[in-house]
Amino acid sequence: MFVFAVTMADDLMADDPTVINLLHGILVLAVLWWAWVCYSWLGNVVRADEGVVRVTMLAAMSAVFVIALTIPEAFDDLPGGLDGPMVFALAYFVVRALHILMFLVISREDPQLRGQVWRFVPSMLAGTVFLLIASQLTGVWQVVMWGLALAGDYLGTLVGGAALYLAALVVFEQIGVGAFRLARVVTVVALLALIPVVWHAPALAALGVLAVVLLALVGYETTAHAEQRRVRHLPVRG
């Protein structure tokens, strides 16, 4: 879903390659990248294909899908439908709030991790509040509010003392355990080919969300079974 959202941000810049529109695209990409980093951290701490974590991840990816659909209207609302900038900001809040909620659940027996998660909350609130304010503005002040939203997320994490930890975990852990599996890449490619970009057709958008859920389940189950078979065939050292 993050890949799909990134392609939508690319389309936003390609449709009108002016300086201000390129700036808008860069701001959107920065927001998407930070949300991806947060869920990469979550995926390295707990399995994403089991229990309540699976449900939360599916809900979060559905919210990312909504973000992707609203990217063409993230700065300027188009005629008809809901208010694009407001929907973008609210969907981003849902994505970040689910991330924090999931970490609070899995850190019940880890006071150090829970303390770090609580230090994330002010930066998350600052980022989403500034995006909500930006949704009601236009022009320079709207861009300023987006900048403050990113500063709240990025600098808030730095002040909270998690920046280096997050960077090391995301880069080295994912490379080390091979988190980017071929099966997941295939799932993303299939998703991009199947999901219609239909802001003005809510029924098709709902079908797109259903496709996200089904493809994610297939991807998780395929990966899980393949991993279990690999572990069973590992040689036993006595």
Side-chain angles (χ1 to χ4, degrees):
M1 269 294 84
F2 282 113
V3 176
F4 176 53
V6 168
T7 62
M8 292 296 291
D10 291 341
D11 287 341
L12 174 66
M13 293 184 284
D15 287 342
D16 181 22
T18 59
V19 173
I20 187 63
N21 210 47
L22 290 175
L23 177 59
H24 288 172
I26 291 171
L27 290 172
V28 171
L29 288 174
V31 167
L32 293 174
W33 183 82
W34 190 245
W36 175 82
V37 167
C38 292
Y39 279 88
S40 296
W41 181 25
L42 176 63
N44 281 320
V45 174
V46 65
R47 286 184 63 104
D49 58 347
E50 293 182 349
V52 67
V53 181
R54 171 186 289 190
V55 177
T56 305
M57 290 292 285
L58 291 175
M61 292 307 101
S62 297
V64 174
F65 179 74
V66 173
I67 288 176
L69 291 180
T70 58
I71 284 176
E73 301 185 55
F75 291 87
D76 299 302
D77 186 42
L78 299 177
L82 302 175
D83 184 273
M86 176 66 76
V87 174
F88 181 98
L90 291 175
Y92 181 70
F93 172 76
V94 171
V95 171
R96 295 299 312 280
L98 287 174
H99 168 256
I100 295 293
L101 178 63
M102 196 66 258
F103 256 118
L104 289 176
V105 171
I106 65 177
S107 63
R108 285 173 297 183
E109 299 179 1
D110 188 342
Q112 183 177 3
L113 177 59
R114 172 157 287 205
Q116 186 61 69
V117 173
W118 280 118
R119 288 193 288 273
F120 267 121
V121 173
S123 64
M124 183 272 287
L125 291 177
T128 53
V129 166
F130 280 122
L131 280 182
L132 286 170
I133 296 173
S135 70
Q136 304 304 305
L137 301 173
T138 58
V140 175
W141 282 110
Q142 185 184 46
V143 173
V144 169
M145 289 299 108
W146 270 75
L148 291 175
L150 291 171
D153 268 337
Y154 286 67
L155 297 180
T157 303
L158 181 63
V159 172
L164 293 178
Y165 173 75
L166 251 181
L169 191 61
V170 169
V171 175
F172 295 108
E173 286 281 340
Q174 289 205 9
I175 292 176
V177 302
F180 294 109
R181 297 178 185 277
L182 179 60
R184 297 182 183 179
V185 175
V186 172
T187 301
V188 169
V189 173
L191 191 60
L192 293 176
L194 293 174
I195 295 177
V197 183
V198 284
W199 174 245
H200 294 290
L204 288 180
L207 289 176
V209 172
L210 179 61
V212 172
V213 173
L214 294 177
L215 284 170
L217 287 174
V218 171
Y220 285 145
E221 292 298 333
T222 301
T223 303
H225 291 315
E227 184 66 18
Q228 290 172 4
R229 289 194 299 270
R230 187 188 69 82
V231 171
R232 284 198 298 266
H233 289 86
L234 287 176
V236 178
R237 297 179 180 179

